[in-house]
Amino acid sequence: MGISGVHRVIAAAVVWCGLIPPAAFAQSEAEPLTPRDTTEKQVDILQADRLSRAVFDDQPVQILEGAVRLRQEQTDLWADRVVRYLEQDRVVLTGRVMIVERGDSLRADSIVYNTRLKQGQATGRVHLTDGDVQVYAPSALYYADQKRTDFDREVRLVDSLTVLTSLGGQYYSDEKRAEFYTDVVLDEDRTHLEADSITYFRETEVSIGRGNVFVQRLGGGEGVADADTLSQSFLFGAYAFNDNRSGYSRIEGDALLVQFRRDSTGVDTDTLLMRALKLDVIREDSLQRLIAVDSVRVWQKTFAAVADSSVYDRIAREGRPLREENRFFVRPMAWYEQYQLSGDTLRATATAGSIDSLFIRENAFAAQEDTSISRIHQLRGQHLTGLFRSDSLRSLVIGPQAEAIYYLREGEAGAAVVSGAMKTSGDRIDLRFKDNTLSRFTTAFGTENVYYAVSLIPSPFELQGFAWRPEWRPAKTTLLDAERRARLDAFRSQ
């Protein structure tokens, strides 16, 4: 700055502090300035081309024009024109307005700045940045001391690949934290999150959603399961925690997962629905893991289950699914075709979306409804192993301490009747199937068989632990209620 510029700044500062009348600096007539409120923080004029005195709405004001720059402690204020109300703590800045505060810069069409509270009410094309994050809104209230900005209208935050929009919220610059509310949408790499409110931590890329949570995930990202497939996962709940870097998410409050997998033509080839009080989603390397807790219900095209808790693993390599495994704990019950299966724990595995094996450990029970005679075949033992091929049941092996009840029938389909019943036991029972129809039944070691004519079949005729619960079987229509289905359909149609 030249000597004349220095003299202009010194003179302007002296006038601002009320040491000489502004007539010495500008042509307008001036009166002695009202003494300053000693509680107000000092504001210095660093630069101004012109300074004058006027009266606006019966209030005496100072007017600074031309590349004005003011400073209050660590806060710099820039504008083409500044109006200072001498009897108030109010400064109005217009024309290329900017507030700079310890790394923050806030631009707007105009700012009304409170010198005592160090607050700036910005309106018109508001733009807040620290050099990395960009926040846009039509209006904002900036708190210089707190480095906090409040937005009461449409706000948009852009941080590298992350975009956060809402109808209002706050941004805390020092903490690099956004608290957005009302119709909030967060878009990150391969993740879309909607909620009533969202807290977003920029440094850790952690987001927390509350109220009417809706999440879409595309595949799993580079190096993660599903990276090169057309899979989509949708999550619903009341609360969501998402760590985008670690690949961990938690959904709570009647949580629901809907997962679609598509072939190269875009046709859905498989769908998984999982509903529980809480869902944890873990994505790392080639593994995707879902942990469901409390009132777990699962539906797939050929399989359904309920349990207290469940762990679902999906392993992929180069974006192609290799193996899936679903483990159910604490009195699980599962359904396949006309079979109902239960035990202390249950494990089902699948390859390329088709179930290939089923294992039940402790208190295994299998029941099958024969709809042609309205009777239920029963099978129980300590453990059960079922093998499948192309989603078709091939064998069931149960034991030790195996028992079975099965009914005999005669007559053609549609007119079949019960012709008797058998109760058999042994160390192991082996069932073989062809086209999902029993083709061979064998009992090994310590075999005992009892035949019952029709008139001698006990009523009820049940093995210990028998409980037929078809009404518990999850269905796609019950897990995905009308409201969530409508939201899902609307999003997928976009």
Side-chain angles (χ1 to χ4, degrees), residues 97-100 104-108 111 122 126-128 140 142 149:
V97 175
M98 181 169 64
I99 296 179
V100 178
D104 275 357
S105 65
L106 183 142
R107 301 174 186 269
I111 294 176
V126 175
H127 177 202
L128 173 70
Y142 182 73
T149 311

Side-chain angles (χ1 to χ4, degrees), residues 316-365:
R317 184 176 299 160
E318 297 180 353
R320 298 183 178 276
L322 297 180
R323 192 161 184 81
E324 298 171 70
E325 181 175 287
N326 211 332
R327 302 184 294 281
F328 300 90
F329 306 97
V330 189
R331 298 179 298 278
M333 188 171 286
W335 292 263
Y336 169 80
E337 300 290 349
Q338 299 301 317
Y339 281 89
Q340 174 185 287
L341 307 151
S342 60
D344 288 359
T345 62
L346 188 150
R347 177 166 63 98
T349 64
T351 303
S354 296
I355 186 170
D356 56 31
S357 58
L358 177 72
F359 306 94
I360 301 176
R361 292 296 174 260
E362 305 299 335
N363 298 310
F365 205 111

Side-chain angles (χ1 to χ4, degrees), residues 105-122:
S105 65
L106 183 142
R107 301 174 186 269
D109 290 341
S110 66
I111 294 176
V112 178
Y113 184 76
N114 187 306
T115 57
R116 181 173 57 86
L117 300 177
K118 295 193 68 176
Q119 296 177 2
Q121 179 66 60

Side-chain angles (χ1 to χ4, degrees), residues 195-239:
D196 291 343
S197 67
I198 290 178
T199 300
Y200 174 65
F201 300 91
R202 289 182 50 226
E203 286 192 319
T204 59
E205 295 184 25
V206 168
S207 55
I208 299 172
R210 302 174 185 85
N212 296 309
V213 170
F214 172 73
V215 183
Q216 180 206 30
R217 287 198 59 85
L218 298 173
E222 184 179 356
V224 183
D226 297 338
D228 302 318
T229 69
L230 297 174
S231 71
Q232 294 186 82
S233 296
F234 298 90
L235 292 151
F236 298 83
Y239 169 91

